[in-house]
Structure formats: structure tokens, C-alpha cells
Amino acid sequence: MKGVLTLRMLSDTCFSMPAALTAAVDSEVATDELGLPMVSGKTLRGLLRDTWLSMLDALGDEAEAGLALLGEPQSHGAESVLRISDARMDGAIRSRLAWALSRPQNPLPPSAVPAAFLGWRAQTSMDRVTGAPNTDTLRGIRVAPRRTVLTADLETSRDLTGGERRLLDLLAKATRHAGLDRNRGLGHIAMGVEWHATAQAPPVAPPAGVAATVVHYRLTLTAPALFRTEGSDPNSSVGLDFAPGSAIRGAVAAALTAAGRHDDVRSIIHSGRVRFLDATPEADGRRTVRAATTWRRDKGATLEDWDAQAKAGDMASDLADGRRLPRGVQRQPLGHRWWASSPIGLIPANPAMVQRTHQSRDRATASTDKDGPATVYVYEALAAGSKLQGAIAGPADLVETAMRTLETGPVWLGRSARAGYGGAPVVERLSTDGATGEIAGRLPGRIDDGMPFLVRLTSPAILRDPETGAHDPWQLSAAVEARFGGAAVAETAYVKPGSVRAYNRLWRTAMADAACAEAGSVVVMIAGEDLDSAALQRIEAMPLGERCADGLGCFVAEASWPARLPVQQEAKARAVDEADLPEDIQAGAVTQAQERLYSSVLRRVLAAYSIRMARGLGGDLPAPSQVHALRASISQAGLADALREWTEARGADGGPRANRTWLTALRHDTMPLSEFLRLCSQPAWRPPVPGESPQDGAQAAERRIYRFAAQPVADEAWDSALAGLGTWFIDQLLSAIAKRCKTGRGGAA
């Protein structure tokens, strides 16, 4: 089942981060990579859990359904059947903002995003006796403004029962307050759940005549995916930059188990007949593999791996070619771990990783437990939007069943899948090869008798010493020789030792880490007979060592390698054109955000203009107190009424009051200040912005740079923001006049 959790902010709300990013505020609201407000899936699950715990006594028989929905507390696993993604703003708004931030001309400054989509609140504690503010208590809080709407995707590993659906709907509607200062006017929210009407597709038999044993696919992550490395802290996690085959195998096993397909679990998972290869980062539409340990560049090189000048100096030839380095030359590994082969060279991939900080809080007060254990946890995961390519190998009918499970889901990858992580990937089938190559479209070349060639591991290999039975990565040469069956002998090995984690799915228990030869380890072989492409494909289809069903032990045979590494620059994404952006945008939210941003920009422009205008006034300067008196009248009665009272009021002799004649004495150009202010009080008046023409001047520049909405929406937002700043501009102008009067009159008040 799939659905949407909608969160509407009925007041300013602050779902805070553990630390402020700038010194301007003391508490920073949680934001995504674009700077837009967001609420993590872990926070949403915690809010629902708090509501559930507070209602346990009143729920009766439906209380136990909360464990099925929300799982065990403080667990990284996926015991619950419900997965909650991060709550974010509408996808069309995010697309338009991403375009504005990355457009080639006049890109939107990242510092402008908070002004458009966030607000700011100041608070201080007051002395209860005197009513004065206490010392050192002023604090600023960044907030998401009221009327902000966020949505989070919901997904279940099985169909929910009627009681579970009723409980989830009740918990969402009963959750009314969240975030910081929820008892001081902030954090009033409303949540609702809506399920998509999806028809259950009937099981489809594998198509007749399918003889392929390898199916390649692309995973596109829609949420961060957390694959923990060895030695990670129990609470914090450092993630891998690829999806291990064991994680994909486990996700398929979980999906089959949740669907009650236990026969498929035994035939696909427990039998070990189906191999799930690692899903590695994609580069220019190609599957990458780990860089060989023998690939080196000059130590201390300052140029990138793909730089044209680097090929002449920084880049080195493959050390496996046996050439000796010149005296004094030192080499170091390449800057990228993942590379894809193309007809004209190697293409590097740089998978995007995201670090996210979480903090546990006291459930009663929503504040940090400062006296307890550490409550800040940092997770590093593969970023949402990452594209990975993997493969499944095995008997055709079992491979087809596994692929259909991946395509139809639900499939949750990695740890903390129930709370904003888990990848929730979109799976796209790429190809079905009649052969067994793990890289789509790759065919090994012919190797003649006596010719040297390389065997490179593309995934770790767990090997054992035949005499002692202990794990020994240095058995790689012997294992490769045995796999070639006397058709080639090993000459040199470049082994990078490491370790891999083990988990027995049949026993559901973690096992000790196993020593292995890491991916990228190389063995230089000498062919003892002619090996054609078909023979090499058959050999590559038989992986080395243990846990082959988890994608371990894979290797490729390379018939030749260049003296220098031909490297292409990393492929860059095509710039998005505004015409390609989606049109179904929440017009109200975009207009309000654009108006807030333009208002912030106009306040800066008009404040500077008011200072210049005050300096250019001619005539006798009044006392600053008289100017401030007019400011107070305007703030209380409005501009039109205040001007009428000031200009029409008469003294005892029937003439204008003496303390108000300065309004006609001061002049803007040739116009008395009183006449200028009277013009400002007209309904159609707008503050003067430097550069009146939309085609030139400061006005046009500001509008181009800070626009992210469609042009008609931006024009409407500009006019609305300008109309709303009339009284504010007059106040700024009078404040600037008062400051000039104070300095011009020698400080007299």
C-alpha cells in the first residue's frame, strides 16, 4: 500500500536542527539540500509514537496495532510494516527552485532561499516584577511560516488491516503540536493520511522462451539509503557509496516474506542459486566498477584525474604493466573509486553522499536531555536521486521472479528504512543478456597463447587457505588459477586485503567479519592456450570464494590495458530549461514565497534610497523629536489621517502650529515634504524604486536575480510586495530624516 501524509502548519513552526548554521539565530529550522523546510521521517514517526503512547489506555484492543505500525523504539531495523519518508515541499516547487539556483545566467543566491521560504522569531524572558527583559535572554528562532504544506510518502510492506488504518488515521489527526516552543505559540500543525487506490496486479508467469541468465537494472533512489560500514558507531552510521548485493538480496527476501511467498524465498534466497550483484554508481549511463589497485597517479599531483595536463604528468600507467618507475617518482591511488569503461576511455563517477543529524529529545518537554547520554547522531547515506546499476544472475525463471519483486515492491534498502531512509527505489530494467557478463554490453577480447592479461575483482572475494581453512585473501592467485583450470597461470598479484560483514538469513543472526580480497585487487596472468570471448565469459560466470549469492567473488578478465589511462571528464547533467519545468505548481505557495523574497529585497533597496533621499532634502532642519512625533502619529492613525491632522491643525493665532511648519520648509527637489507625503497617501502610490524601467536599472537587475517563479507570478508578487511597503518606506524615510536632523543640528534634540 502507498499513501501520503500531509502536514499543514497552522502557525509558525520550528523543527530544529541540533545546531544553528549561522550566528544570526540561536535555533535553526531543519532544511533540505535546497534550503527548503522539511521534517525528517524519524521526527514524524516520533510524533506519531508520542501520540500513541499518550492514548494507550483509551485505545483498547487496537493498542497493539501501534507496534506493527511503528516498530520497536531505538531500533535501526525494519520491524514495522510502515515506512515514512521525509516530509518535503511540493516537487514542482523544488524543481523550480533547483532551476533558479543552477541557471547559467543570474542564478538565485542560496542566501535568498531563507528569505523566501522561512521566517524569523525573536523571544526574550521578562522579569515578572519589573516587566523588563532579563539580561542575556534574547534569542532568535528560524521558523517555517504558517500555511506551509509538506507531504511525506507512506509505504507498507503488506496491506494494513482495518484496525491499523483506523489507528494511523487517528494518530495523525490527534497530533496537533510539534517542534520547539510548542507551548509558546509555535508548532500548531494538522496532519492527515490519504491512501492511493491501487489495484493488486495478478502474478505474471515468466515469458516463454526467456533464456537469459543475467538481467541488468537501474535503481533510482527516492530517499537516502544507509548501508553501514564495518566498525560504525551503534547509534551513528557511516554509509557505503554503493548498494551491496547482500542488501538487495535481503530486500527481496523481506518483500517475498511479507507477501507470504515462502516457496520463492526458499528457491531464490535460501538455495543460493540466484546471485545478486552489487548496484554500483552510474557514470554516463554505464555501470561502474571499483578502480584497480594498480592504477596510480603522481603523489602530490594538483590536477584532477581527468585533466588533460594530468595525462602528461600527474597520471601514471597501470603498475601491472611491469615497468619500473623512474628514480624519485612516487605514485598514489586515483582520486575516484568508481570508473566506467567507454569506447574512448574511462569515466569516473562521484556518488553523492548526504550527512544528516538527528537528536533525541525528552518526549514531555521536547527539549534536549542535557544530563543524559549523548543524544546527537549523524548518519551518512547515499543521497536521494542517486542512480545505481546492478544485475541479477541465475536460472531464468528465478531471475525473472526476483526482478518482478524488485519492480513491483515494496523494496526498502539499507538501515532505518522505516524513518526517512531506505532508498524506496524506482527500478528500471535495462537489458537481458544471453551471456553471463556482469557489465551490460561488455564482451572480453580474445587472448592468445602466451599473452599476458589481467584478472580484476569487481567485488570482494572471501577465500580460504586449503590447509588451515582460515580466511586468507592472499589465496587470490591460487583461486584464479583454479578457476581457469590450467588455461592460464598467475604471474603477479596485487591484493588489497579487507573484511566483509556476514549475516545468515536462514538463522537470522549476524556472523563474524570475514577477511577478504577487496574489489580492485588484480592478478596478472599468462595464457597457456588460446582463450576466445565465449570461453572467458564462461569463466567469468563462475565467481570466486564464498557468499557468491550476495554478489561476492565477481571478476573480469581484461585482454589488454593501455600504457596510460585514457580518462574522460565526469559527465555533467544537462542544465534544466525553464520550459521543461512542471506547470502544476501550488500557485499560492509560490506567490507567497516570491512575494516574501521580493519584499526582503525591496526593503534593502528602499532603505538605502530613503537614506539618500533624506540627505538630499533642502531647507531648515527641525528637531529630531518633531520628526519622531510624526512617525508616532502615522503608526497610530495611518498616513492619510496623520498628514491631515498635522497640516490642518491650527495654533491659538489661527496659523499653522509652529512645531509643524518644517513639513513645508523641507523640500524634496522643488516639492515641499508635506506635498510629497500627501502624494504618498494616495491609494495608487507605490514607493519609488531606483531604475523605474523594467528593462534597465537596479529594479530590473533585482527582479531578474531573485526570480524563481514563472514570470507572470513573479510580476504579480513584485507589485504586491511593493504596494505593501508604502507605510514602511515613509517610516524609514522619516527615521533617516531624524538621524540627519540630529547630526545636522549638532546633536540637538
Side-chain angles (χ1 to χ4, degrees), residues 643-651 654-657 660:
L643 284 176
R644 188 180 305 110
E645 192 274 333
W646 270 65
T647 56
E648 296 179 0
R650 301 295 175 179
R657 292 185 180 180
R660 302 185 181 183

Side-chain angles (χ1 to χ4, degrees), residues 159 198-202:
D159 289 342
T198 55
Q200 185 68 31

Side-chain angles (χ1 to χ4, degrees), residues 212-216 275 277 391-394 399 431-438:
T213 54
V214 174
V215 175
H216 299 272
R275 295 192 295 127
L277 278 61
I392 301 178
V399 169
S431 66
T432 300
D433 295 336
T436 55
E438 66 164 296

